[in-house]
Amino acid sequence: MLMQPVSVQAQLLLGVTIIIAMLVLWTFFSSISIARQLFIAFGSFVVMRYVYWRATSTLPPLSDPIGFGFGFTLLMAELYCFLILAISLIVNADPLKRPPMPVDPDNELPTVDVFVPSYNEDEYILATTIAAAKSMDYPPDKLTVWLLDDGGTDQKCNDSNPEKAVAALARRLSLQKLCSELGAQYLTRAKNEHAKAGNMNNGLKHSNGEVIVVFDADHAPFREFLRETIGHFKRDPKLFLVQTPHVFLNPDPIERNLQTWERMPSENEMFYSVTQRGLDKWNGSFFCGSAALLRRAALETTGGFSGITITEDCETAFELHAKGWTSVFVDKPLIAGLQPETFSSFIGQRSRWCQGMFQILMLKNPSLKLGLNFIQRIAYLSSMTFWFFPLPRLIFMFAPLIYIFFDTKIFVSNVDEAIAYTSTYIVVNMLLQNFLYGRVRWPWISELYEYVQGVYLSKAIFSVVLSPRKPTFNVTAKGLSLDKDHLSELAWPYFAIYALLMFGGCVAFYRYMFEPGVTNLMLIVGLWNTFNLIIAGAALGVVSERRAVDRHPRLGIERSAALSANGRVVPVIVINVSTGGCGIRPVEGALPGDITKGRLHIVPLGNRVTDESLPVVLRHAQSPETNYYGFEFDGITNREYNALADLMYGEASALQRFLDHRRSHKNLFAGTFQMLIWGVTEPIRAFSLLIRGKTAQSIVDAPKETSTAEQKVDKTVDATLDPLQTITQRLRQEKADAAAAAAASGIPEPRSA
């Protein structure tokens, strides 16, 4: 039936009938499990009919080598999309939803080492994560938290640049003090070898817990993290990994600049809420670098964390799956992290992911890896080949211009065939995506994300292909400050592409209206170019950075507390909190007018590490009707971060409520209308910034808000600067003396610092 030749009218009738059948299944039978499979089957039939017709009937003839070359390139891009769709339907046909694990008694729980790898993060970020990790609900004698500091290594403390050496030594001393006061272990190493993987392998050598938990420096766990996850290891002796979702407190640049944070699911939610559950069904869920638990015994079979590529997480899971170990994905938000604030840091992060996945594909091809079963090969190939998307996305963006400007046919079809095959294929494709991912991904958002990344990631792909071992690990900048609206320093290609597409649209309109002999095919191609123009217009809004109102992202909570000031104690409810402050509402009446500074005492949810309260100072009070007061934390000491962790990360249900609030289904019509609005309005905002010269350079000299914790670090550095310089000079002199002695005796100089 897929290859049966039929008339154009019959094909159109077939496509429309199947679309109606899919809508009926979705509307009236979605609660029946078989309906999901029928929906996917009907949609797949139309998609495969289109692919067969496209491959056999639409290529330009070989007598037109230019047209055939461009047409074949476009066909390859479409076949790639078909491959990714097919794999995603296999993986996500029936995503697994695991029931909660029963809570085991304390005497049966394994020992746990928590690794917090660090490089250059602000100290207040590290303090928050360490305190949250120490505050997890787990027997204290079985829980050890390690700060693995790669910013204070011997190599960095002996840097040839005296300023860098002094800064590294200051960091080491300051973080040692932080860990001592929070009850964590500080660990650094001699050299920064093999990046994050090498850092964690050094942690393995110095620890002995049965289970290793990994949190990125800016990923703080909620209190119940271990209770919700650790039980899986007891029930499966071959389990090497329990992965949980990455959830963020701040918007990425696309969400912030398009102002969708409060109403649209984040980009990563489709991966964690659908795809990882789909992979979990096939024992293919993989390590994502953070918010995960790993069995030490499994890591020892591969010599620790794999570090050949710059994506040590997926590579480690890949090796352990190949050795017969199993994995689990727990679909519950149990950590809160930070995303890149600027568009340039966002692109840098995605470039690293893209290059790392291509490294694994080229150096450790899943299709050839011994030990993986068939569906695991498919799962890993899907995760790696996904990163080819920049190439087809850019091909789709520029393909219509070839016909508009040069009259080169790269797609041989008449208007009737385009409607019968192509339009029904597009509708069915969007129905499949909206049916499977509608609660966690708005229509056309994938196209926007792929385009804005594709402009720069295409270069990253070619660099890996040319030299698979060349890419190096770069830490993603977090906690940056955006003080003004401005254009990203990476914005110029998006303006150039938008101008080219706009010009192409004008040419298509002129040729269709006034040039003799131009057929309705120009109308179809012009509509295609118009769609690209809308996506490119929305992308201009993405690279037009908006000022960040809150430097410290807030989480909505509801916790009982007491505010003590001027000899009085006022019962209050804390309704939101960040690392910089909190919002409170008095239980009764308003706060007395003379309370501008005091201490906040939190009613704990369980056993707290320490009993400190939080120093607060009033920053603003809203109208009497709202009875809301905004307080800033006033010089938190290291030990007081325990109280902040209890307040901010005491209940993961607060994060789940926020996610549920955003996960409302967006139908195709509403999603298309939203993209049209962005495509029209965002270029106006972008060009206004361009005319006013509001580029990234204009904020270089802008004063950056300095947090209390940062001020404390600065004072520590100033106070220790002179003695550290003396230490640096002494270390260098000792090293020089040792080298001279070694040279005199003929013994090689030792390599360790």
Side-chain angles (χ1 to χ4, degrees), residues 410-483:
I410 60 176
F411 190 117
V412 179
S413 169
N414 57 44
V415 175
D416 292 340
E417 288 176 328
I419 294 174
Y421 285 93
T422 306
S423 63
T424 54
Y425 159 72
I426 292 173
V427 171
V428 165
N429 199 337
M430 293 306 299
L431 282 175
L432 283 170
Q433 292 186 44
N434 203 242
F435 178 76
L436 294 174
Y437 314 118
R439 291 189 67 248
V440 292
R441 178 64 57 86
W442 283 7
W444 309 115
I445 292 297
S446 292
E447 284 73 12
L448 177 60
Y449 268 91
E450 289 179 5
Y451 167 63
V452 297
Q453 294 177 78
V455 172
Y456 283 97
L457 264 58
S458 54
K459 178 183 176 182
I461 292 173
F462 286 116
S463 69
V464 178
V465 171
L466 294 175
S467 182
R469 297 182 183 272
K470 185 177 180 180
T472 56
F473 190 99
N474 293 312
V475 178
T476 304
K478 307 285 180 65
L480 301 178
S481 178
L482 291 169
D483 302 314

Side-chain angles (χ1 to χ4, degrees), residues 109-112 136-143 223 226-227 230:
L109 295 174
T111 54
V112 172
M136 289 189 293
D137 181 16
Y138 207 72
D141 60 324
K142 293 188 174 185
L143 177 67
R223 186 173 180 273
L226 286 173
R227 294 291 184 181
I230 199 78

Side-chain angles (χ1 to χ4, degrees), residues 577-633:
V577 62
S578 73
T579 55
C582 63
I584 68 171
R585 183 172 290 127
V587 174
E588 295 181 1
L591 285 181
D594 61 338
I595 293 184
T596 59
K597 192 173 184 179
R599 299 195 70 87
L600 190 65
H601 305 264
I602 312 301
V603 177
L605 293 175
N607 295 326
R608 192 192 294 171
V609 178
T610 55
D611 295 326
E612 280 81 7
S613 56
L614 292 167
V616 293
V617 57
L618 182 65
R619 287 304 179 208
H620 62 271
Q622 301 290 356
S623 63
E625 292 79 13
T626 60
N627 205 23
Y628 171 86
Y629 299 84
F631 281 85
E632 183 179 283
F633 297 132

Side-chain angles (χ1 to χ4, degrees), residues 326-465:
T326 60
S327 61
V328 159
F329 179 71
V330 175
D331 184 26
K332 183 173 183 178
L334 295 168
I335 65 103
L338 297 176
Q339 300 189 89
E341 288 86 354
T342 66
F343 183 71
S344 59
S345 58
F346 172 80
I347 291 297
Q349 179 194 64
R350 299 311 169 93
S351 295
R352 174 165 58 85
W353 294 355
C354 175
Q355 290 180 319
M357 284 301 199
F358 267 93
Q359 283 183 298
I360 300 176
L361 180 63
M362 297 182 68
L363 301 175
K364 301 183 175 185
N365 194 324
S367 61
L368 305 176
K369 185 70 173 179
L370 297 178
L372 296 177
N373 61 42
F374 175 75
I375 199 68
Q376 285 177 320
R377 297 178 195 275
I378 294 295
Y380 275 106
L381 281 171
S382 72
S383 300
M384 296 168 193
T385 56
F386 164 79
W387 290 97
F388 273 109
F389 74 78
L391 302 182
R393 182 54 55 198
L394 293 181
I395 289 171
F396 296 148
M397 187 64 66
F398 294 118
L401 300 178
I402 297 174
Y403 181 71
I404 291 172
F405 290 147
F406 307 109
D407 211 22
T408 300
K409 289 187 177 181
I410 60 176
F411 190 117
V412 179
S413 169
N414 57 44
V415 175
D416 292 340
E417 288 176 328
I419 294 174
Y421 285 93
T422 306
S423 63
T424 54
Y425 159 72
I426 292 173
V427 171
V428 165
N429 199 337
M430 293 306 299
L431 282 175
L432 283 170
Q433 292 186 44
N434 203 242
F435 178 76
L436 294 174
Y437 314 118
R439 291 189 67 248
V440 292
R441 178 64 57 86
W442 283 7
W444 309 115
I445 292 297
S446 292
E447 284 73 12
L448 177 60
Y449 268 91
E450 289 179 5
Y451 167 63
V452 297
Q453 294 177 78
V455 172
Y456 283 97
L457 264 58
S458 54
K459 178 183 176 182
I461 292 173
F462 286 116
S463 69
V464 178
V465 171

Side-chain angles (χ1 to χ4, degrees), residues 461-743:
I461 292 173
F462 286 116
S463 69
V464 178
V465 171
L466 294 175
S467 182
R469 297 182 183 272
K470 185 177 180 180
T472 56
F473 190 99
N474 293 312
V475 178
T476 304
K478 307 285 180 65
L480 301 178
S481 178
L482 291 169
D483 302 314
K484 296 180 181 179
D485 292 353
H486 66 280
L487 291 176
S488 169
E489 61 268 35
L490 303 182
W492 73 266
Y494 302 92
F495 280 94
I497 294 172
Y498 184 82
L500 180 63
L501 294 175
M502 178 66 77
F503 179 63
C506 294
V507 171
F509 177 78
Y510 175 83
R511 292 190 63 189
Y512 181 73
M513 295 298 296
F514 303 109
E515 188 173 312
V518 173
T519 65
N520 286 335
L521 185 58
M522 182 62 74
L523 176 63
I524 299 296
V525 175
L527 291 174
W528 180 4
N529 184 77
T530 301
F531 169 78
N532 290 340
L533 186 65
I534 291 169
I535 296 293
L540 289 183
V542 171
V543 297
S544 301
E545 307 267 27
R546 292 184 187 271
R547 180 176 68 91
V549 178
D550 250 337
R551 183 168 187 265
H552 302 286
R554 293 178 177 270
L555 175 65
I557 62 174
E558 188 171 344
R559 291 287 299 277
S560 298
L563 180 63
S564 64
N566 302 331
R568 283 175 289 189
V569 178
V570 180
V572 298
I573 301 295
V574 183
I575 58 176
N576 63 60
V577 62
S578 73
T579 55
C582 63
I584 68 171
R585 183 172 290 127
V587 174
E588 295 181 1
L591 285 181
D594 61 338
I595 293 184
T596 59
K597 192 173 184 179
R599 299 195 70 87
L600 190 65
H601 305 264
I602 312 301
V603 177
L605 293 175
N607 295 326
R608 192 192 294 171
V609 178
T610 55
D611 295 326
E612 280 81 7
S613 56
L614 292 167
V616 293
V617 57
L618 182 65
R619 287 304 179 208
H620 62 271
Q622 301 290 356
S623 63
E625 292 79 13
T626 60
N627 205 23
Y628 171 86
Y629 299 84
F631 281 85
E632 183 179 283
F633 297 132
D634 185 27
I636 298 181
T637 64
N638 286 341
R639 289 174 62 84
E640 288 167 349
Y641 275 98
N642 291 310
L644 176 60
D646 181 83
L647 174 63
M648 192 167 183
Y649 300 103
E651 291 182 297
S653 57
L655 201 58
Q656 186 65 62
R657 287 194 299 270
F658 174 66
L659 294 179
D660 291 340
H661 169 72
R662 297 191 307 183
R663 289 179 179 176
S664 57
H665 191 275
K666 194 85 160 179
N667 63 50
L668 289 176
F669 295 105
T672 302
F673 183 67
Q674 177 64 81
M675 189 60 68
L676 283 171
I677 292 175
W678 286 331
V680 173
T681 60
E682 292 303 320
I684 298 173
R685 185 170 67 90
F687 277 101
S688 68
L689 289 174
L690 182 65
I691 292 171
R692 289 183 287 161
K694 296 290 186 179
T695 62
Q697 185 64 33
S698 67
I699 66 164
V700 168
D701 300 324
K704 178 182 176 181
E705 176 188 353
T706 305
S707 70
T708 304
E710 291 171 325
Q711 293 172 359
K712 182 178 67 176
V713 174
D714 291 340
K715 290 177 182 177
T716 303
V717 173
D718 291 340
T720 57
L721 185 59
D722 291 337
L724 285 176
Q725 288 175 333
T726 303
I727 293 171
T728 304
Q729 292 169 0
R730 178 173 58 80
L731 288 172
R732 289 201 181 123
Q733 185 61 48
E734 290 176 357
K735 186 176 181 181
D737 293 342

